[in-house]
Amino acid sequence: MTSLQSSDESVIGILCEYMAQSRTASVPGDVAQKAKHHILDTIGAMVSGTTLEPGRLAIKYADMQGGTPQAMVVGSSVVTNAVTAALANGILAHSDETDDSHAPSGIHPGCAVVPAAMAMGEKNDCDGETFLKSVVLGYDVGSRVMRGLRPKDPFRGDRGRGFASHAMGGVFGAAAAASGCTDMNPTQIRHLLSYTAQQASGITSWQTDVDHIEKAFDFAGMPARSGVTSATTVEAGFTGVWDVFEGFNNLFDSYTVNHDRAALLNELGSRYEVMLTNIKRYCVGSPVQTPVDALLNIMREHGVGPDDFQSMVAVTANGENRLTGAEQSMPDINMRYLLAVSLLDGDLTFEAGHDVQRMEDAKVVDIMNRIEVRADPSLVTPESPRQGVIEFTAKDGRELRNHVVVVRGAMESPLTRDEVEAKERDLLTGVIGQEKTCQLIAAIWDLESLKSVRDLRPLLTV
C-alpha cells in the first residue's frame, strides 16, 4: 500500500485508516518473504523455548487457567483462550535470546507480534495470507510507536523515565497484529489503540532478572497478552477514547517531552519495518553477536583453535555491563563464556549457549579468565550500532584481529532463506521431530496457500 487517504487528517485517523486497509492491500513480494523469515524464526524460538524454564512455566500457567479452546500453546497439548495463548506463546518466544530485534526502535517485535497474530488468527479461523499481513502490520505499528516515543535514542528515556522500549513497542505491535485478524473498522481501531495505550507499561528493572523469566514476560508475554486483550475487548463491543495520540492527556505527552508523533506516519506504506529487523545468527544476546562472529572468523581464516590460544581482547561499544559481564549467571548472554565455548567448539550452538553446568567446566573457566573485555564508543555508528572486535594472541606470538561491522542476519546483511531454514531446523527438530519440521517449514514458506492458521496446530503439538 502506498497511498494514504483519509477524511480525518489527524495522526490517529490516518493510521487507523491504514490499518483497516492493510487487510486487503497487497504486500510487496520481498516484504512477504522477509516476514515469513521472521514468522519461522519466532516459531523456532517458541519451540526451542519449550525446553527452557520460562517456557515450561508458561505452558504450566496456561494449562492452569483453562478457558474457551480458541488457540494452542506451542509445544504442548494445551488449547485455551486467545489471550492466555498469546501470553504463553510470547513467553515461549522470548524464553532466551533466540528471537529477532529491531534496532531503530529498540524492540524485539517478533516475540510479541507473532504470538498475538497466531492467537487471533486461530480464534477467528483466519487464512495464512491474513496472518502474514497482520504480522507485517504489527512490525510497522509497534516499531513506529516506539520511534515516536523515543526519536533520538530508542534505549534511553528522558527526565529519568525508564520505561521499557521492548514492552511499549511490543504491545502496540501485538495489538495491531491482532486487529489484522479481525474485521474492525477505523473507529474500532481507534478504540483498540486507546485500550492498548492504557495497557502500555514496563520498566527497565528487567535488567536485574537473573532467570530470564520476568524478562520473557516483560518483552513478550505481557505485550502479546495485552495486545490481544485490546482486540478482544473491542470485538466484544467496548468503546473507548477517540484520540489517544493527540487528545487530552495522550500517550505521547504522558510518557515523554521529546516525542515525535510524525514518526507514526513516516513512510507508512512504503517503508516496511520488518525489512529493518534483525534475525540473530546465533541464539544469544544481541551485544554478543559480533564478537562471537569475529572470533569464529579468526579461527576459520587463520586455522587456529583452543590449542593455539594464549589470550584475547573483546572490544564492543559498551564493554561489559550487568547483562553481559563475567558475573552474569545466564550462559546465553555472558560474553566471556560464549567466546570460550565458541573457541572450544569452533561454532556456537543453541545447546552450548544454554549449558549452565558448562559455565563451571575447568577448560571453559580457564579460557574465560584469559579474556579481557574493553569498551570503545566509536564502534557505535548510525549505520552499524553493534560492531565488535576480537584481538587474538596465539601461543606462537601471532596477533590476529578481526573487526565485524555487521553480523550476518542484521538488517544490513540479512540471512538468506536457506540460512534461516538451517537455523530453524536446528531449533525445531529436537522438539517436534524431522517430519513435522519439514512440514512446518514448507507451510510457512507457502503461507498464502494455508487455509487456516489452525492447520498449524498438529505441526506444533508435542
Side-chain angles (χ1 to χ4, degrees):
M1 181 190 297
T2 56
S3 63
L4 296 176
Q5 295 182 351
S6 174
S7 57
D8 183 343
E9 295 303 316
S10 66
V11 169
I12 198 169
I14 295 172
L15 180 63
C16 290
E17 186 69 30
Y18 178 85
M19 291 171 67
Q21 291 180 8
S22 68
R23 298 185 206 109
T24 55
S26 61
V27 175
D30 59 336
V31 177
Q33 185 63 34
K34 187 71 156 54
K36 292 175 185 178
H37 289 188
H38 289 268
I39 290 170
L40 181 59
D41 188 59
T42 305
I43 291 176
M46 290 184 207
V47 171
S48 62
T50 64
T51 67
L52 304 172
E53 186 63 12
R56 287 190 284 265
L57 289 173
I59 293 171
K60 176 183 177 181
Y61 176 83
D63 193 32
M64 290 171 61
Q65 304 315 303
T68 304
Q70 298 174 330
M72 76 170 301
V73 176
V74 167
S76 75
S77 59
V78 177
V79 181
T80 183
N81 63 79
V83 172
T84 302
L87 167 67
N89 288 334
I91 291 173
L92 283 165
H94 195 67
S95 287
D96 73 321
E97 299 295 320
T98 302
D99 56 300
D100 63 19
S101 62
H102 184 271
S105 65
I107 71 173
H108 285 229
C111 61
V113 167
V114 176
M118 284 181 65
M120 287 298 289
E122 282 194 77
K123 172 185 172 294
N124 293 338
D125 197 19
C126 295
D127 61 26
E129 185 173 12
T130 300
F131 171 51
L132 177 65
K133 289 181 178 180
S134 73
V135 169
V136 173
L137 179 67
Y139 277 70
D140 277 339
V141 175
S143 301
R144 279 179 167 80
V145 167
M146 203 59 230
R147 284 179 184 262
L149 283 168
R150 288 187 180 157
K152 294 183 178 179
D153 186 337
F155 298 101
R156 292 175 181 255
D158 59 276
R159 292 187 178 178
R161 293 181 171 120
F163 64 85
S165 57
H166 308 83
M168 297 286 287
V171 70
F172 279 96
S179 78
C181 294
T182 71
D183 59 359
M184 289 182 194
N185 60 41
T187 296
Q188 290 174 305
I189 294 174
R190 281 177 177 267
H191 299 158
L192 170 130
L193 292 173
S194 186
Y195 281 101
T196 305
Q198 291 292 353
Q199 295 180 91
S201 61
I203 56 177
T204 54
S205 58
W206 61 262
Q207 294 178 11
T208 62
D209 174 22
V210 297
D211 298 318
H212 210 283
I213 293 172
E214 183 184 336
K215 184 171 183 281
F217 175 82
D218 296 346
F219 276 49
M222 176 177 69
R225 174 209 66 191
S226 298
V228 173
T229 298
S230 295
T232 52
T233 52
V234 174
E235 274 192 325
F238 284 45
T239 60
V241 168
W242 182 247
D243 191 347
V244 77
F245 287 163
E246 294 180 280
F248 174 74
N249 284 350
N250 62 77
L251 174 79
F252 290 92
D253 291 336
S254 295
Y255 274 100
T256 178
V257 296
N258 295 312
H259 55 69
D260 177 18
R261 291 188 191 91
L264 286 168
L265 306 181
N266 187 23
E267 298 182 89
L268 187 63
S270 60
R271 185 191 74 216
Y272 292 88
E273 299 291 346
V274 72
M275 302 298 289
L276 306 180
T277 307
N278 309 322
I279 290 180
K280 292 179 178 177
R281 183 174 189 176
Y282 310 105
C283 299
V284 299
S286 295
V288 191
Q289 298 280 319
T290 48
V292 165
D293 210 34
L295 173 59
L296 294 175
N297 286 342
I298 288 173
M299 295 175 68
R300 283 188 294 265
E301 292 170 11
H302 299 279
V304 294
D307 293 339
D308 306 292
F309 174 70
Q310 180 62 43
S311 64
M312 80 172 82
V313 177
V315 189
T316 65
N318 299 313
E320 286 183 305
N321 55 35
R322 68 167 66 92
L323 296 179
T324 63
E327 71 281 3
Q328 176 56 252
S329 61
M330 292 167 50
D332 57 345
I333 54 177
N334 185 308
M335 186 183 302
R336 294 172 193 246
Y337 167 76
L338 293 167
L339 288 169
V341 294
S342 297
L343 177 63
L344 286 167
D345 299 348
D347 198 0
L348 181 54
T349 64
F350 178 87
E351 182 180 3
H354 297 83
D355 193 337
V356 176
Q357 292 182 338
R358 198 175 178 191
M359 295 184 77
E360 299 178 1
D361 180 87
K363 291 182 179 179
V364 173
V365 172
D366 175 59
I367 294 172
M368 291 173 67
N369 289 336
R370 288 186 275 156
I371 298 174
E372 178 186 353
V373 180
R374 296 177 186 168
D376 180 356
S378 71
L379 293 177
V380 174
T381 65
E383 298 78 17
S384 301
R386 277 184 167 149
Q387 302 176 47
V389 175
I390 290 292
E391 298 170 355
F392 184 103
T393 301
K395 290 179 180 178
D396 60 10
R398 283 181 293 168
E399 299 284 346
L400 309 174
R401 185 179 187 275
N402 189 267
H403 179 182
V404 173
V405 177
V406 178
V407 70
R408 191 83 171 133
M411 64 178 181
E412 304 92 339
S413 181
L415 298 178
T416 65
R417 172 169 158 163
D418 288 344
E419 288 172 327
V420 173
E421 187 170 317
K423 175 188 174 182
E424 309 317 326
R425 283 188 183 278
D426 182 51
L427 298 176
L428 295 166
T429 304
V431 180
I432 63 174
Q434 186 172 353
E435 183 178 355
K436 285 186 177 180
T437 295
C438 291
Q439 293 173 348
L440 175 65
I441 290 173
I444 299 304
W445 291 154
D446 193 24
L447 265 181
E448 294 88 347
S449 299
L450 190 71
K451 293 182 179 179
S452 173
V453 178
R454 296 174 186 173
D455 293 339
L456 296 177
R457 281 186 191 175
L459 305 178
L460 293 169
T461 302
V462 176

